[in-house]
Amino acid sequence: LLVPVERVLLVPFTDPHGRNLWPGLAASLTRMVAGFAIGAGLGLVLGVLMGVSRTAERMVGPSLNAVRQIALYAWIPLLTAWFGSGDVAKVAFIALSAFFPMVLNTHDGLRAVPAPLLEVARVLRLSPVQTVRRVLLPGALPSIFIGVQLALIYAWIATVGAEYAMGLGLGVGTVLSEGREHFRMDIVIAGVLTLALVGYGINTLFGRLFRRMLVWQPAGR
């Protein structure tokens, strides 16, 4: 069961039989970025709409809360029935995983904007668009950025899960699946380490970026 260190570090990156982590990692990151952009973008729009409009919140909120109770991986059979097992289904699954944290954090952030700020907007007679752009969105930025960070992590987890469950094509999840089927623990371990390092890198990078962008926020918020 013990695997030599040099096999873990080198063999998966030079394997001649298609189980190469470098193109797999590139394919996984491409899918993640595409799914994240779609899911987080839609989540941001819907979150803003629900955050600024009580009518939209009453119309969409109950259905959204009901749908998000469904386990994420329970969507895979439906997505594969609609889109097959190719990249479209995988990107749709990734987008779905990024959508919910984005919409929920955006909505909560807008609803948590202090009432005195809204009162100032009314005193200054700002239009609804100006109120959203100058008061609500800046006030909700910390929550929105948390939503972005969570959406990125969920998108990365969903990327590997979709590749592992749906198979076909390049990807880190496919590398793990093939390594398991061929009892190649060096490939499996290298894939797991890759997942951990990429996830840690995403979380650390964007966490530091968001802290720099929110230096005007009070300490501890």
Side-chain angles (χ1 to χ4, degrees):
L1 294 178
L2 296 178
V3 180
V5 174
E6 61 271 16
R7 285 183 59 113
V8 172
L9 295 179
L10 298 177
V11 173
F13 298 96
T14 58
D15 190 279
H17 302 297
R19 295 183 293 270
N20 193 314
L21 269 181
W22 290 124
L25 179 58
S28 293
L29 290 174
T30 300
R31 291 189 189 102
M32 187 200 77
V33 171
F36 167 79
I38 296 170
L42 292 175
L44 178 64
V45 171
L46 184 58
V48 170
L49 183 62
M50 293 173 59
V52 301
S53 171
R54 294 288 184 182
T55 301
E57 184 180 27
R58 287 194 295 268
M59 292 176 61
V60 179
S63 299
L64 183 67
N65 287 327
V67 171
R68 76 185 182 93
Q69 303 306 317
I70 302 173
L72 187 62
Y73 285 89
W75 290 97
I76 288 181
L78 190 60
L79 292 175
T80 53
W82 285 344
F83 305 115
S85 298
D87 281 344
V88 175
K90 293 172 185 174
V91 171
F93 181 72
I94 297 164
L96 191 64
S97 71
F99 172 78
F100 288 108
M102 194 69 215
V103 68
L104 294 174
N105 278 275
T106 301
H107 170 262
D108 292 345
L110 288 168
R111 288 300 184 195
V113 172
L117 293 179
L118 298 177
E119 185 62 30
V120 170
R122 284 191 288 269
V123 170
L124 295 176
R125 297 183 179 180
L126 298 181
S127 68
V129 174
Q130 290 175 322
T131 301
V132 172
R133 184 166 57 88
R134 297 183 180 181
V135 179
L136 290 175
L137 286 179
L141 274 182
S143 184
I144 292 174
F145 284 165
I146 291 174
V148 172
Q149 194 170 8
L150 289 174
L152 282 166
I153 295 299
Y154 287 7
W156 176 238
I157 295 173
T159 298
V160 180
E163 293 168 351
Y164 191 87
M166 299 179 192
L168 301 178
L170 290 172
V172 178
T174 306
V175 170
L176 287 172
S177 179
E178 292 184 353
R180 180 204 63 183
E181 292 177 1
H182 292 87
F183 300 100
R184 290 287 302 275
M185 290 301 102
D186 55 335
I187 293 176
V188 172
I189 293 173
V192 171
L193 290 176
T194 301
L195 297 181
L197 290 173
V198 172
Y200 177 78
I202 291 173
N203 189 54
T204 302
L205 175 63
F206 283 90
R208 291 179 179 178
L209 175 63
F210 295 155
R211 283 193 293 272
R212 287 179 178 271
M213 296 175 66
L214 294 174
V215 292
W216 49 270
Q217 284 287 319
R221 176 164 179 177

